[in-house]
Amino acid sequence: MEQGPMTEATYYILLSLLKPGHGYGMMQRIRELSAGRLEMGPGTLYGVLSRMQKEGLIVFAGEEGRRKNYAITEKGRAALLAEYERLKRLVADGKLLEEGEK
């Protein structure tokens, strides 16, 4: 799957949805996954979730009371893996920066 770079918000939302969940749980999981580096507010989260649903990367997976649950699709999993591989290539290419430090 050929795609452009994924936004950080999209990447972390997909990563958090490797375990299906609801919005507040995703915000907590993203904070946990990023070791507190990334704090995602509800406005950002729900805007990105809406776009990702339209793109087929996630699906609505039901409600628990007022909480709407979401899950990653196969297309979303493939996009996440492609982005992970792209990021690994960037880091590998960047090793050049460290060679001068040895």
Side-chain angles (χ1 to χ4, degrees):
M1 171 184 293
E2 190 61 37
Q3 66 180 33
M6 189 177 281
T7 67
E8 189 174 36
T10 299
Y11 182 80
Y12 275 97
I13 290 170
L14 288 174
L15 203 56
S16 76
L17 285 176
L18 289 174
K19 295 180 183 176
H22 54 81
Y24 181 71
M26 279 185 261
M27 288 187 285
Q28 290 179 313
R29 181 98 170 110
I30 289 165
R31 185 173 35 250
E32 178 185 298
L33 289 168
S34 69
R37 187 183 54 76
L38 183 61
E39 295 275 339
M40 191 171 301
T44 300
L45 178 72
Y46 289 104
V48 176
L49 287 175
S50 177
R51 179 182 51 79
M52 291 170 67
Q53 274 187 282
K54 289 175 187 167
E55 294 174 357
L57 301 174
I58 63 170
V59 292
F60 176 69
E63 293 184 52
E64 290 176 27
R66 292 179 38 201
R67 293 181 170 173
K68 294 181 180 181
N69 290 303
Y70 298 89
I72 193 170
T73 63
E74 284 304 314
K75 180 179 179 181
R77 188 177 299 273
L80 180 60
L81 184 57
E83 179 66 1
Y84 175 68
E85 293 298 330
R86 187 188 76 79
L87 292 170
K88 284 193 325 186
R89 287 189 304 274
L90 285 176
V91 170
D93 293 346
K95 294 286 184 190
L96 180 65
L97 291 168
E98 296 176 356
E99 289 177 5
E101 297 176 3
K102 293 180 182 177

